[in-house]
Amino acid sequence: MKDLIKKVTEAFGPSGAEDSVREVIRKEVEPYVDEISVDALGNLIALKKGKGGKKVLLDAHMDEIGLMVTHIDDKGFVRFGNIGGVVPIVALGQRVYFENGTMGVIGSERLDDPKDLKLEKLFIDIGAKNKEEAAKKVNVGDSCAFFQPFADLGDRVVAKAMDARVACAVIIEVLRRLENSPHDVYAVFAAQEEVGLRGARAAAYGITPDVGIAFDVTRTGDTPKARPMEVSLGGGAAIKVKDSSVITHPGLRNYMVKIAKEKGIKYQMEVLEAGGTDTSAIQLTKAGIPAGCISIPCRYIHSPCEMVDMEDVEACVLLAKALCESPLEF
Ligand code: ZN
Ligand code: CO
């Protein structure tokens, strides 16, 4: 499982540029599914057929936050806009890489007050001497991602893009282990979540499932002087009640709790005060879909060093598998 998480997190794939990560995931998923396709938004959709049960959608987004080149100045410094929720104080001093392998570091203009640190003050230095040299390596509209290798800390692991590639890994593992699901399980590795839940919206419409379950990371309240939140690393699979985009289907949510209790799977309830998930895009499809969400607790979300606990990851796999094998009557 750690190898799988390393492989998917280290793949390149800011929103709208998911080709590389999609191919990495496709290779992992292909042996375990009956059909696989890519839609117009770039979502990877895999179907594992059941025995005439329900249509179940498992969704995790494969895109990651990143930066997009807006302008290259005469000295060859690359100015950029954000792709998703990039925080200036986190971005400063980081390395980034482009799909063609170009590396850069994020520097800042002179700041009289640290409060002036805004994305507009930052630039990417790709080591070019002037605009001409820079333009040979990157173009306006190219996107880049944080560069950080995966690190194994033992029970816990750190990588860029855990949001939401660790959730992609959970779904891949469920597909691998799932043998006797009565249901048609559609796994959606969604594009463009970080810019507004776009991929999942189209995918859910195309599939129109009977039940939708999204998987993503959620923040924790267990670091020094953190904003209070009940979710903690190592506390188990987080069953979402609410985030800023969704209130999950109460019947499905209670059913998840029931299954977790029956199977002895460690879980915790999640109320996320800021941040949305694909869950809402699925829920609001057509006339409405019963939708829930299983979150993997994660520290330092939207930084290049996002940390998860392997026991939580395993709990999420077990809960998802148990749900797929259950009647899903709620
Ligand atoms: Zn996410
Ligand atoms: Co995110």
Coordinates of all heavy atoms in Angstrom, one line a residue, residues 145-185:
A145 N 3.6 21.7 -10.4 CA 3.2 21.1 -9.1 C 4.3 21.2 -8.1 O 5.5 21.4 -8.5 CB 2.8 19.7 -9.3
F146 N 4.0 21.2 -6.9 CA 5.1 21.1 -5.9 C 5.9 19.9 -6.1 O 5.4 18.8 -6.5 CB 4.5 21.0 -4.5 CG 3.8 22.2 -3.9 CD1 2.6 22.2 -3.3 CD2 4.5 23.5 -4.0 CE1 2.0 23.3 -2.8 CE2 3.9 24.6 -3.5 CZ 2.7 24.6 -2.9
F147 N 7.2 20.0 -5.8 CA 8.1 18.9 -6.0 C 8.5 18.4 -4.6 O 9.2 19.2 -3.8 CB 9.4 19.2 -6.8 CG 10.3 18.1 -6.9 CD1 10.2 17.1 -7.9 CD2 11.4 18.0 -6.0 CE1 11.1 16.1 -7.9 CE2 12.3 17.0 -6.1 CZ 12.2 16.0 -7.1
Q148 N 8.2 17.2 -4.2 CA 8.6 16.7 -2.9 C 8.5 15.1 -3.1 O 7.5 14.6 -3.4 CB 7.7 17.1 -1.8 CG 8.1 18.4 -1.1 CD 9.4 18.3 -0.2 OE1 9.9 17.2 0.0 NE2 9.8 19.4 0.3
P149 N 9.6 14.4 -2.8 CA 9.5 13.0 -2.8 C 8.6 12.4 -1.6 O 8.6 13.1 -0.6 CB 10.9 12.5 -2.7 CG 11.7 13.6 -2.1 CD 10.9 14.9 -2.4
F150 N 8.1 11.3 -1.8 CA 7.3 10.5 -0.8 C 8.3 10.2 0.4 O 9.5 9.9 0.1 CB 6.8 9.3 -1.4 CG 6.2 8.3 -0.4 CD1 4.8 8.3 -0.1 CD2 7.0 7.3 0.1 CE1 4.3 7.4 0.7 CE2 6.4 6.3 1.0 CZ 5.0 6.4 1.3
A151 N 7.9 10.3 1.6 CA 8.7 9.9 2.7 C 7.9 8.9 3.7 O 6.8 9.2 4.0 CB 9.2 11.1 3.5
D152 N 8.6 7.8 4.0 CA 8.0 6.8 4.9 C 8.5 7.1 6.3 O 9.7 6.9 6.6 CB 8.4 5.4 4.4 CG 7.8 4.3 5.2 OD1 7.2 4.6 6.2 OD2 8.0 3.1 4.8
L153 N 7.6 7.5 7.2 CA 8.0 7.8 8.6 C 7.6 6.6 9.5 O 7.6 6.8 10.7 CB 7.3 9.1 9.1 CG 7.4 10.3 8.2 CD1 6.8 11.5 8.9 CD2 8.8 10.6 7.8
G154 N 7.2 5.5 8.9 CA 6.8 4.4 9.8 C 5.3 4.2 9.7 O 4.8 3.9 8.6
D155 N 4.6 4.4 10.8 CA 3.1 4.3 10.7 C 2.5 5.4 9.8 O 1.4 5.2 9.3 CB 2.5 4.3 12.1 CG 2.9 3.2 12.9 OD1 3.3 2.1 12.4 OD2 2.9 3.3 14.2
R156 N 3.2 6.5 9.7 CA 2.7 7.6 9.0 C 3.6 7.9 7.8 O 4.8 7.6 7.8 CB 2.6 8.8 9.9 CG 1.6 8.5 11.0 CD 1.5 9.5 12.1 NE 0.3 9.1 13.0 CZ 0.0 9.8 14.0 NH1 0.7 10.8 14.5 NH2 -1.1 9.4 14.7
V157 N 3.0 8.4 6.7 CA 3.7 8.7 5.5 C 3.4 10.2 5.1 O 2.3 10.7 5.4 CB 3.4 7.7 4.4 CG1 3.9 6.3 4.7 CG2 1.9 7.6 4.1
V158 N 4.4 10.8 4.4 CA 4.3 12.1 3.9 C 4.5 12.2 2.4 O 5.4 11.6 1.9 CB 5.3 13.0 4.7 CG1 5.3 14.4 4.2 CG2 5.1 13.0 6.2
A159 N 3.7 13.1 1.8 CA 3.9 13.3 0.3 C 3.2 14.5 -0.1 O 2.3 15.0 0.6 CB 3.4 12.1 -0.5
K160 N 3.5 15.0 -1.3 CA 2.7 16.0 -1.9 C 1.4 15.3 -2.4 O 1.5 14.1 -2.6 CB 3.4 16.7 -3.1 CG 3.6 15.8 -4.3 CD 3.8 16.6 -5.6 CE 4.0 15.8 -6.8 NZ 2.7 15.3 -7.4
A161 N 0.4 16.0 -2.7 CA -0.8 15.5 -3.4 C -1.4 14.3 -2.7 O -2.1 13.5 -3.4 CB -0.4 15.1 -4.8
M162 N -1.2 14.1 -1.4 CA -2.0 13.1 -0.7 C -3.5 13.4 -1.0 O -4.4 12.6 -1.0 CB -1.8 13.2 0.8 CG -0.5 12.5 1.3 SD -0.6 10.7 1.1 CE 1.0 10.3 1.8
D163 N -3.8 14.7 -1.0 CA -5.1 15.3 -1.4 C -5.1 15.2 -2.9 O -4.6 16.1 -3.6 CB -5.1 16.7 -0.9 CG -6.4 17.5 -1.3 OD1 -7.3 16.8 -1.8 OD2 -6.4 18.7 -1.2
A164 N -5.8 14.3 -3.5 CA -6.6 13.2 -2.9 C -6.1 11.9 -3.4 O -6.8 11.0 -3.6 CB -8.1 13.4 -3.2
R165 N -4.8 11.8 -3.8 CA -4.2 10.6 -4.4 C -4.2 9.5 -3.3 O -4.3 8.3 -3.8 CB -2.8 10.8 -4.9 CG -2.6 12.0 -5.8 CD -2.8 11.7 -7.2 NE -2.7 12.9 -8.1 CZ -1.6 13.5 -8.4 NH1 -0.4 13.1 -8.0 NH2 -1.7 14.6 -9.2
V166 N -4.2 9.8 -2.0 CA -4.3 8.7 -1.1 C -5.7 8.1 -1.1 O -5.9 6.9 -1.0 CB -3.9 9.2 0.4 CG1 -4.9 10.1 0.9 CG2 -3.8 8.0 1.3
A167 N -6.6 8.9 -1.5 CA -8.0 8.4 -1.7 C -8.1 7.6 -3.0 O -8.8 6.6 -3.0 CB -9.0 9.6 -1.7
C168 N -7.4 8.0 -4.0 CA -7.3 7.2 -5.2 C -6.7 5.8 -4.9 O -7.2 4.8 -5.3 CB -6.4 7.9 -6.3 SG -7.1 9.5 -6.9
A169 N -5.7 5.8 -4.1 CA -5.0 4.6 -3.7 C -6.0 3.7 -2.9 O -6.1 2.5 -3.1 CB -3.8 4.8 -2.8
V170 N -6.8 4.3 -2.0 CA -7.8 3.6 -1.3 C -8.8 2.9 -2.2 O -9.1 1.7 -2.1 CB -8.6 4.5 -0.3 CG1 -9.9 3.8 0.2 CG2 -7.8 4.9 0.9
I171 N -9.3 3.6 -3.2 CA -10.2 3.0 -4.2 C -9.6 1.9 -5.0 O -10.1 0.8 -5.3 CB -10.8 4.1 -5.1 CG1 -11.7 5.0 -4.3 CG2 -11.7 3.4 -6.2 CD1 -12.4 6.1 -5.1
I172 N -8.3 2.1 -5.4 CA -7.6 1.1 -6.2 C -7.5 -0.2 -5.4 O -7.7 -1.3 -5.8 CB -6.2 1.6 -6.6 CG1 -6.3 2.7 -7.6 CG2 -5.3 0.4 -7.2 CD1 -5.0 3.5 -7.8
E173 N -7.2 0.0 -4.1 CA -7.0 -1.2 -3.2 C -8.4 -1.9 -3.0 O -8.4 -3.1 -2.9 CB -6.5 -0.7 -1.8 CG -6.1 -1.8 -0.9 CD -5.0 -2.7 -1.4 OE1 -4.3 -2.4 -2.3 OE2 -4.9 -3.8 -0.7
V174 N -9.5 -1.1 -2.9 CA -10.8 -1.7 -2.8 C -11.1 -2.5 -4.0 O -11.6 -3.7 -3.9 CB -11.9 -0.6 -2.6 CG1 -13.3 -1.2 -2.7 CG2 -11.7 0.1 -1.2
L175 N -10.8 -2.0 -5.2 CA -11.1 -2.7 -6.5 C -10.3 -4.0 -6.5 O -10.7 -5.1 -6.9 CB -10.7 -1.9 -7.7 CG -11.6 -0.6 -7.9 CD1 -11.0 0.2 -9.0 CD2 -13.0 -1.0 -8.2
R176 N -9.0 -4.0 -6.0 CA -8.2 -5.1 -5.9 C -8.7 -6.2 -5.0 O -8.7 -7.4 -5.4 CB -6.8 -4.7 -5.5 CG -5.7 -5.8 -5.7 CD -4.3 -5.3 -5.3 NE -4.1 -5.2 -3.9 CZ -3.9 -6.3 -3.1 NH1 -3.8 -7.5 -3.6 NH2 -3.8 -6.1 -1.8
R177 N -9.2 -5.8 -3.9 CA -9.7 -6.8 -2.9 C -11.1 -7.2 -3.1 O -11.5 -8.3 -2.6 CB -9.6 -6.2 -1.5 CG -8.2 -5.9 -1.0 CD -8.2 -5.6 0.5 NE -7.0 -4.8 0.9 CZ -6.9 -4.3 2.1 NH1 -7.8 -4.4 3.0 NH2 -5.8 -3.6 2.4
L178 N -11.9 -6.5 -3.8 CA -13.3 -6.8 -3.9 C -13.6 -8.0 -4.8 O -13.1 -8.0 -6.0 CB -14.0 -5.5 -4.6 CG -15.5 -5.3 -4.3 CD1 -15.8 -5.2 -2.8 CD2 -15.9 -4.0 -5.0
E179 N -14.2 -9.0 -4.3 CA -14.5 -10.2 -5.0 C -16.0 -10.5 -5.2 O -16.4 -10.9 -6.3 CB -13.8 -11.4 -4.4 CG -12.4 -11.5 -4.9 CD -11.5 -12.4 -4.0 OE1 -12.0 -13.1 -3.2 OE2 -10.3 -12.3 -4.2
N180 N -16.7 -10.2 -4.2 CA -18.1 -10.6 -4.2 C -19.1 -9.5 -4.0 O -20.0 -9.6 -3.2 CB -18.4 -11.7 -3.2 CG -17.7 -13.0 -3.6 OD1 -17.9 -13.5 -4.8 ND2 -16.9 -13.6 -2.7
S181 N -18.9 -8.4 -4.8 CA -19.9 -7.3 -4.6 C -21.1 -7.6 -5.5 O -21.0 -8.0 -6.7 CB -19.3 -6.0 -5.1 OG -20.3 -5.0 -5.0
P182 N -22.3 -7.5 -4.9 CA -23.5 -7.6 -5.8 C -23.7 -6.4 -6.7 O -24.4 -6.5 -7.7 CB -24.6 -7.7 -4.7 CG -24.1 -7.0 -3.5 CD -22.6 -7.2 -3.5
H183 N -23.0 -5.4 -6.4 CA -23.2 -4.1 -7.1 C -22.3 -3.8 -8.3 O -21.1 -4.3 -8.3 CB -23.1 -2.9 -6.1 CG -23.9 -3.1 -4.9 ND1 -25.3 -3.2 -4.9 CD2 -23.5 -3.2 -3.6 CE1 -25.7 -3.4 -3.6 NE2 -24.6 -3.4 -2.8
D184 N -22.7 -3.1 -9.2 CA -21.8 -2.5 -10.3 C -21.1 -1.4 -9.6 O -21.6 -0.4 -9.3 CB -22.6 -2.0 -11.5 CG -23.2 -3.1 -12.3 OD1 -22.7 -4.3 -12.2 OD2 -24.1 -2.9 -13.1
V185 N -19.8 -1.6 -9.5 CA -19.0 -0.5 -8.8 C -18.3 0.3 -9.9 O -17.4 -0.2 -10.6 CB -18.0 -1.1 -7.8 CG1 -17.1 -0.1 -7.2 CG2 -18.7 -1.9 -6.7

